[in-house]
């Protein structure tokens, strides 16, 4: 049988099928690879980073992707029409915004769309039926309402198998994985006697008996049995993967990590073969007329994919216009605020503070500058330019401390470093004592956790734990106002914590100096250093929260910035490094000291580290900074209080205690709002936005084009921080537009899978990824607007264009409608990049704009 002449054959053993010729095998490989290449990765819970779930599709126009997702998986990419109608009725989107959007959408104008017709479209749902898979058409039993639908049953079975196969932490008894995921599933399904009953299909063992022995054979067997035209293989296979998008994204993550290490990983292909095989298994189990009809129907439907996509693209024209109108409404507001910002009076900086570009840093920067006008704040990527992996002392727990886009290039570890004045004679003995103490503590913790996992020991464990167990439960039920607990200190005795510090490992003086110079140039700090330079990382604080790491940082693999900030501060305080920086044009005065600190974004507290290493001349500067931070943090807490249901008029200490109790409450589903509301990235000198109130919605990265003559720094910012901000922006966008398929559902129902892999919503189904509803919705309204990222760059047009020419991915993001590029010129004018049409004034009236389709 071949793909051009489909017929339905039943009870044919796959081993009897003719061998797959090399040319056909090559076409099968290409189709499977194309389908797998469309799946974006999802990081594990403990290394959580925000990801655009459509990342592998940004080479296509946004509306094209929206059409594909609707047809292949029933996924909504644009904001819901009901939400847009409310935005229109509340005047969140004005007629001016809608007119401007139409002017930028010539295809919509050509198709006769106007303001009135766009508004009317919001009152009807788009006609975008999902294309059925074979399994959907076969499941036509009149009694199917009394059992689990086959699609759901198959998803549950595969999901449970994957949970067992990929688990490395929760289960004490580990499965045999040597032969791969497909072989493990094939063996498991052969011993599962409940699945046939669950599906109401007593003949299932017959179909399972026909399973090919290898993944390659299963792919060929399934595609040949389906008999679809080869032109639609990749589309059908992508739809198959999207039916298990959670586990597909996990497998894509394993492939991503393998690629960073120069390896290949086959798990995604094996998952595809498993899900594809299920459809043919069910086809083999049905021999009646309905199977013949289902087989014919799948040929018919998937043979018309091209025309279905064309209709879907046309159907989504108004949704594209409304997305642009919503974006335009925010841009209009943002530009007005920036235009109204008063330029600060130039004065020497008495202190400098470098914050992560995270949107939660913006209110604190603004508050600190208002409390102490002589402070200069800077925005920089929260891993502080150290592409490092970190291994705590006396452990093997190496973890990445950098954006997931990158691979670690340097190592961070903990060293025993005595405070000034210690003679160091007892250092070796003390080092052995610290390592032994931590090893014992971690071993005891592991033993206690292991005791509670054995089924027969679960109740006896609670009994033996007694009041100790009740005490832990009580701390959840009646949360105390305790400060944040640093997980990096786990197992480390209190007596040793002051002398164990994170440091860069394995770099000679030349390498350390080169790294320091690279970081300072990227920060824009190459001269005029203040007496105190504070490096402020950030972290969150919450209890009983599977997604806690996602609140620490939206980019740096779910870790706080503490380790990197402390290591960098030590590096920049080294006299030998400073001496090496002078020939490179970076002169750090002896009076300048670098100090690491951490911003707790849940409670808006700032904690400084290694104060005992601060020289005498730096202590006065720190005391003044500490006082200013106390006032600034209180100001930010009062800004945030109403959004958290707290009284902003509460006394200073009482408000802080309330936020701490909230953070320690094991029943609190919204410890903070994270990066909800993010909408823009500004790459410009701080003076451009210093006095503007941006409401914690902007990523702020300092950039001065005057110190970047060749544009190399601009290219680095557009290929790293801009991509990270885009990923964060689209994770929030996708989770808001389609919370059922691109979000992780109700946090109250989450169960952690494999210790750190992800979560189920309930006890099964597909692995959930994206943001929970509680991170986006307060019970009455969405706290996040689904806006595409607006990137505002203060740089020459030629410099930006050169970066886009060299970086096709960035060009795709701009030209295909995944983000907006705005440019500020030397006179303060703002220009919008309009793809091939070039740049046009961003504040022009609709009639003055060049016609162009956004996506």
């Amino acid at each position: 049988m071949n793909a051009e002449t489909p017929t339905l054959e039943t009870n044919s053993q796959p081993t009897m099928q003719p061998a797959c010729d090399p040319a056909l095998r090559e076409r099968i490989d290409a189709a499977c690879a194309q389908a797998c290449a469309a799946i974006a990765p999802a990081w594990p819970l403990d290394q959580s980073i925000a990801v655009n779930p459509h990342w592998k599709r940004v080479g296509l126009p946004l509306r094209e992707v929206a059409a594909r997702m609707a047809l292949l998986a029933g996924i909504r990419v644009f904001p819901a029409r009901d939400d847009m109608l409310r935005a229109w009725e509340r005047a969140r989107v004005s007629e001016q915004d809608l007119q401007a959007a139409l002017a930028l959408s010539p295809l919509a104008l050509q198709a006769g769309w106007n303001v009135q017709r766009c508004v009317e479209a919001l009152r009807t749902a788009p006609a975008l039926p999902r294309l059925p898979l074979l399994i959907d058409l076969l499941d036509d039993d009149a009694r199917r309402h009394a059992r689990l639908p086959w699609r759901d049953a198959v998803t549950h079975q595969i999901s449970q198998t994957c949970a067992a196969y990929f688990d490395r932490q929760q289960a004490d008894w580990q499965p045999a994985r040597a032969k791969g995921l497909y072989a493990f599933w094939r063996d498991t399904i052969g011993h599962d006697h409940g699945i046939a009953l669950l599906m109401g299909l007593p003949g299932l063992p017959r179909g399972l008996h026909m399973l090919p022995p290898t993944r390659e054979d299963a792919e060929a067997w399934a595609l040949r049995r389906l008999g679809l035209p080869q032109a639609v293989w990749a589309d059908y296979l992508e739809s198959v993967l999207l039916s298990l998008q959670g586990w597909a994204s996990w497998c894509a993550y394993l492939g991503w990590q393998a690629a960073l290490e120069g390896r290949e990983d086959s798990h995604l292909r094996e998952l595809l073969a498993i899900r594809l095989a299920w459809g043919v298994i069910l086809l083999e189990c049905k021999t009646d007329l309905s199977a013949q009809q289902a087989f014919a129907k799948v040929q018919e439907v998937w043979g018309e994919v091209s025309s279905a996509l064309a209709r879907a693209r046309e159907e989504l024209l108004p949704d594209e216009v409304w997305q642009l109108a919503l974006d335009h409404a925010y841009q209009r507001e943002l530009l007005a605020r920036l235009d109204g910002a008063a330029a600060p009076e130039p004065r020497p900086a008495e202190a400098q503070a470098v914050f992560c570009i995270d949107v939660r840093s913006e209110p604190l920067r603004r508050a600190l500058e208002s409390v102490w006008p002589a402070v200069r704040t800077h925005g920089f990527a929260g891993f502080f330019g150290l592409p490092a992996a970190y291994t705590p002392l006396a452990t093997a727990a190496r973890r990445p401390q950098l954006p997931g886009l990158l691979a670690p290039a340097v190592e961070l570890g903990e060293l025993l470093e005595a405070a000034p004045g210690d003679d160091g004679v007892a250092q070796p003995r003390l080092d052995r004592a610290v390592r032994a103490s931590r090893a014992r503590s971690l071993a005891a913790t592991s033993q206690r956790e292991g005791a509670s996992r054995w089924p027969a020991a679960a109740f006896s464990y609670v009994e033996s734990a007694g009041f100790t167990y009740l005490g832990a439960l009580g701390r959840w039920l009646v949360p105390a106002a305790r400060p944040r607990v640093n997980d990096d200190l786990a197992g480390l005795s209190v007596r040793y914590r002051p002398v164990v510090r994170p440091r860069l490992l394995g770099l000679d003086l030349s390498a350390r100096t080169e790294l320091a110079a690279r970081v300072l140039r990227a920060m824009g700090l190459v001269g005029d250093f203040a007496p105190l330079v504070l490096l402020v990382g950030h972290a969150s604080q919450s209890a009983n929260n599977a997604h806690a790491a996602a609140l620490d940082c939206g980019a740096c693999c779910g870790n706080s910035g503490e380790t990197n900030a402390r290591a960098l501060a030590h590096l920049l305080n080294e006299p030998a490094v400073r001496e090496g920086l002078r020939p490179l044009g970076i002169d750090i005065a002896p009076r300048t000291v670098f100090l690491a600190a951490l911003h707790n974004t849940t409670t808006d507290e700032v904690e400084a580290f290694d104060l005992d290493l601060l020289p005498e001349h730096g202590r006065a500067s720190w005391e003044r900074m500490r006082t200013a931070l106390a006032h600034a943090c209180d100001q930010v807490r009062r800004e945030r209080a109403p959004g958290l249901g707290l009284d902003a008029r509460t006394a200073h200490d009482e408000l802080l205690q309330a936020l701490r109790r909230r953070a320690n409450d094991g029943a609190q589903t919204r410890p903070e709002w994270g990066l909800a509301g993010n909408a823009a990235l500004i790459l410009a000198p701080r003076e451009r936005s210093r006095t503007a109130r941006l409401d914690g919605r902007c990523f702020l990265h300092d950039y001065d084009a005057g110190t970047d003559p060749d544009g190399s720094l601009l290219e680095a910012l557009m290929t790293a921080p801009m991509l990270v901000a885009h990923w964060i922006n689209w994770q929030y966008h996708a989770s808001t537009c389609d919370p059922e398929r691109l979000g992780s559902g109700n946090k109250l129902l989450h169960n952690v899978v494999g210790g750190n892999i992800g979560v189920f919503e309930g006890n099964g189904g597909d692995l959930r990824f994206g943001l929970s509803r509680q991170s986006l919705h307060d019970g009455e309204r969405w706290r996040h607007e689904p806006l595409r990222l607006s990137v505002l760059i203060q740089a020459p047009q030629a410099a930006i264009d050169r970066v886009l020419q060299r970086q096709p991915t960035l060009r795709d993001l701009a030209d295909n409608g995944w983000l907006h590029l705005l440019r500020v010129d030397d006179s303060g004018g703002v220009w919008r990049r309009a793809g091939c049409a070039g740049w046009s004034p961003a504040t022009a009236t609709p009639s003055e704009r060049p016609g162009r389709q956004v996506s």
Side-chain angles (χ1 to χ4, degrees):
M1 183 182 71
N2 58 53
E4 287 72 23
T5 56
T7 59
L8 175 59
E9 300 174 8
T10 59
N11 299 328
S12 55
Q13 293 283 354
T15 54
M16 301 296 291
Q17 295 283 342
C20 190
D21 67 81
L24 180 59
R25 180 71 256 176
E26 186 176 342
R27 291 193 291 272
I28 291 173
D29 280 339
C32 291
Q34 182 178 332
C36 290
I39 305 299
W43 266 249
L45 294 174
D46 61 337
Q47 297 179 22
S48 181
I49 67 171
V51 180
N52 175 3
H54 309 299
W55 173 244
K56 296 298 190 72
R57 305 181 182 96
V58 297
L60 299 173
L62 178 58
R63 184 158 50 88
E64 174 77 17
V65 172
R68 288 182 61 81
M69 292 301 95
L71 295 186
L72 298 185
I75 290 174
R76 186 169 57 238
V77 173
F78 288 116
R81 291 187 176 182
D82 288 346
D83 292 337
M84 291 309 305
L85 181 59
R86 282 189 286 271
W88 171 258
E89 292 172 344
R90 297 196 315 267
R92 177 68 184 93
V93 176
S94 69
E95 184 170 341
Q96 173 194 351
D97 299 317
L98 192 51
Q99 289 280 16
L102 284 166
L104 288 165
S105 306
L107 286 183
L109 292 174
Q110 293 168 16
W113 289 94
N114 55 28
V115 170
Q116 181 179 356
R117 190 180 173 194
C118 284
V119 175
E120 287 302 314
L122 297 181
R123 306 183 192 281
T124 58
L128 299 168
R130 189 190 70 198
L131 297 177
L133 297 174
L134 178 60
I135 191 173
D136 303 313
L137 297 171
L138 288 170
D139 192 11
D140 62 349
D141 187 349
R143 295 168 298 174
R144 64 182 180 276
H145 65 278
R147 58 164 171 79
L148 201 62
W150 284 358
R151 175 185 276 254
D152 294 343
V154 166
T155 296
H156 185 82
Q157 190 278 325
I158 296 176
S159 190
Q160 295 294 319
T161 302
C162 287
Y165 178 85
F166 289 113
D167 176 23
R168 298 294 197 276
Q169 294 190 20
Q170 282 184 321
D172 289 297
W173 291 356
Q174 294 291 309
R177 306 183 181 92
K179 295 182 179 179
L181 177 60
Y182 176 83
F184 176 77
W185 167 77
R186 186 172 182 268
D187 180 67
T188 300
I189 193 67
H191 295 86
D192 188 344
H193 302 297
I195 187 66
L197 181 63
L198 189 67
M199 300 178 72
L201 196 62
L204 182 60
R206 181 178 69 251
L208 295 176
H209 179 67
M210 303 182 68
L211 274 172
T214 68
R215 181 261 297 174
E216 293 85 356
D217 291 339
E219 291 171 347
W221 173 61
L223 283 173
R224 293 163 77 175
R225 290 287 288 116
L226 284 170
L228 295 172
Q230 293 180 13
V232 303
W233 279 0
D235 292 333
Y236 187 87
L237 295 174
E238 185 178 346
S239 182
V240 166
L241 280 175
L242 288 171
S243 70
L244 275 168
Q245 190 172 8
W247 283 110
S249 297
W250 168 255
C251 292
Y253 160 77
L254 297 177
W256 182 286
Q257 294 302 113
L260 289 178
E261 299 168 7
R263 300 183 290 106
E264 292 186 359
D265 186 273
S266 64
H267 284 108
L268 187 54
R269 283 286 291 269
E270 295 188 70
L271 181 70
L272 173 58
I274 292 169
R275 182 60 180 80
L276 188 62
W278 254 115
V280 182
I281 289 170
L282 297 176
L283 183 63
E284 297 290 352
C285 294
K286 297 192 68 171
T287 58
D288 55 9
L289 178 62
S290 66
Q292 297 276 0
Q293 293 171 338
F295 186 76
K297 185 66 174 178
V298 82
Q299 315 292 324
E300 175 190 346
V301 170
W302 284 91
E304 300 176 353
V305 170
S306 296
S307 57
L309 281 171
R311 290 192 298 271
R313 287 194 297 271
E314 183 177 353
E315 185 76 18
L316 288 169
L317 258 174
D319 299 86
E320 180 179 53
V321 172
W322 278 106
Q323 174 72 82
L324 182 54
L326 184 65
D327 298 342
H328 187 275
Y330 173 75
Q331 290 169 2
R332 176 168 49 82
E333 175 186 301
L334 173 65
L335 294 177
R337 293 191 181 199
L338 292 175
D339 287 343
E345 297 181 6
R347 58 191 298 183
E350 297 177 11
Q352 293 163 310
V354 182
F355 288 84
C356 179
I357 66 172
D358 190 289
V359 297
R360 293 168 291 182
S361 299
E362 183 272 322
L364 183 54
R365 291 180 63 182
R366 173 169 35 88
L368 180 59
E369 290 164 345
S370 68
V371 169
W372 189 4
V375 167
R376 295 290 178 270
T377 70
H378 303 261
F380 190 59
F383 73 115
F384 291 99
L386 301 183
Y390 169 58
T391 305
L393 184 71
T395 76
R398 184 177 183 267
R399 73 177 191 224
Q401 290 274 148
L402 76 171
L405 291 164
L406 308 174
V410 297
E411 296 295 326
L412 280 172
E414 287 180 322
L415 297 180
L416 194 63
E417 188 170 299
D422 290 354
D423 58 15
V425 173
Q427 284 290 96
R429 185 166 59 245
L430 182 59
D431 183 74
R432 289 193 297 271
V434 171
R435 291 175 180 274
S437 172
R438 189 173 219 176
R440 287 194 300 270
S441 178
L442 293 176
T445 300
S446 178
Q447 188 174 17
R448 286 194 301 272
E449 292 176 350
S452 67
R453 289 201 302 267
W454 288 90
F459 294 104
S460 61
Y461 173 77
V462 175
E463 290 180 1
S464 62
F467 288 109
T468 303
Y469 187 84
L470 293 176
L473 183 61
R475 285 193 291 274
W476 274 6
L477 298 176
V478 186
R482 298 189 315 276
R484 176 179 175 271
V485 176
N486 189 343
D487 291 338
D488 288 348
L489 301 177
L492 195 61
S493 171
V494 174
R495 62 181 294 199
Y496 297 135
R497 290 178 183 180
V499 294
V500 176
R501 311 179 199 271
R503 295 288 181 258
L504 283 163
L505 305 178
L507 297 180
D508 60 22
L509 177 59
S510 175
R512 295 201 307 277
T513 303
E514 181 182 344
L515 178 60
R518 187 163 62 246
V519 170
L520 289 172
R521 289 194 183 106
M523 282 184 184
L525 287 176
V526 293
D528 298 325
F529 292 94
L532 175 67
V533 182
L534 197 66
L535 306 176
V536 190
H538 65 98
S540 67
Q541 180 181 350
S542 59
N544 189 30
N545 184 3
H547 291 92
L551 295 176
D552 276 343
C553 182
C556 294
C557 293
N559 298 304
S560 79
E562 174 190 336
T563 300
N564 294 48
R566 292 178 70 183
L568 180 61
H570 176 266
L571 176 69
L572 297 177
N573 284 329
E574 279 191 61
V577 169
R578 292 190 177 190
E579 189 66 30
L581 288 172
R582 288 194 184 94
L584 302 178
I586 302 175
D587 190 1
I588 304 175
R591 66 185 179 91
T592 296
V593 293
F594 291 82
L595 181 66
L598 191 73
H599 172 206
N600 183 335
T601 57
T602 309
T603 62
D604 279 305
E605 298 174 84
V606 175
E607 174 188 5
F609 303 102
D610 304 317
L611 291 172
D612 57 318
L613 301 181
L614 206 60
E616 187 66 34
H617 62 266
R619 291 176 185 172
S621 296
W622 163 244
E623 283 303 314
R624 191 171 180 187
M625 174 66 81
R626 185 180 62 81
T627 301
L629 282 170
H631 289 291
C633 288
D634 181 70
Q635 179 178 320
V636 177
R637 284 193 285 269
R638 294 184 187 283
E639 289 182 12
R640 293 178 55 232
L644 297 171
L646 301 174
D647 187 353
R649 298 166 297 179
T650 305
H652 306 300
D653 290 342
E654 291 180 12
L655 181 56
L656 175 58
Q657 300 302 310
L659 285 167
R660 284 181 174 179
R661 283 191 292 272
R662 181 186 181 88
N664 292 320
D665 186 351
Q668 179 55 252
T669 58
R670 300 178 179 93
E672 61 164 284
W673 285 111
L675 292 94
N678 74 85
L681 165 66
I682 300 177
L683 302 177
R686 175 55 172 160
E687 287 72 19
R688 187 74 183 79
S689 60
R690 182 176 169 97
T691 61
R693 185 185 179 94
L694 302 176
D695 297 332
R697 305 191 69 181
C698 293
F699 302 93
L700 299 176
H701 199 301
D702 283 50
Y703 173 69
D704 184 355
T707 62
D708 183 33
D710 64 354
S712 58
L713 178 55
L714 176 63
E715 185 165 4
L717 297 182
M718 292 178 68
T719 53
M722 190 175 94
L723 286 187
V724 167
H726 161 76
W727 274 22
I728 294 170
N729 172 260
W730 263 95
Q731 185 189 57
Y732 276 82
H733 186 288
S735 296
T736 303
C737 289
D738 197 337
E740 295 303 317
R741 297 169 184 83
L742 300 178
S744 60
N746 186 347
K747 185 183 288 189
L748 299 178
L749 303 178
H750 283 174
N751 282 300
V752 174
V753 180
N756 69 340
I757 292 173
V759 296
F760 287 153
E761 187 181 15
N763 70 339
D766 194 13
L767 193 70
R768 300 303 298 265
F769 65 96
L771 296 160
S772 69
R773 186 174 180 85
Q774 286 85 349
S775 293
L776 302 162
H777 198 280
D778 64 9
E780 296 181 358
R781 66 182 182 90
W782 292 105
R783 295 301 297 260
H784 180 76
E785 279 188 306
L787 301 166
R788 289 173 292 182
L789 188 71
S790 295
V791 183
L792 188 70
I793 306 175
Q794 188 164 324
Q797 174 181 323
I800 300 174
D801 286 340
R802 279 197 300 271
V803 174
L804 295 175
Q805 289 168 6
R806 287 195 293 263
Q807 300 291 340
T809 298
L810 301 185
R811 193 166 62 248
D812 286 342
L813 291 176
D815 291 353
N816 290 332
W818 295 94
L819 51 74
H820 300 279
L821 277 184
L822 304 172
R823 176 178 61 84
V824 180
D825 63 20
D826 293 338
S827 62
V830 182
W831 300 75
R832 179 191 305 276
R833 185 174 187 278
C836 298
W839 297 83
S840 62
T843 54
T845 61
S847 60
E848 294 172 329
R849 297 176 185 273
R852 158 176 198 276
Q853 182 189 9
V854 173
S855 58

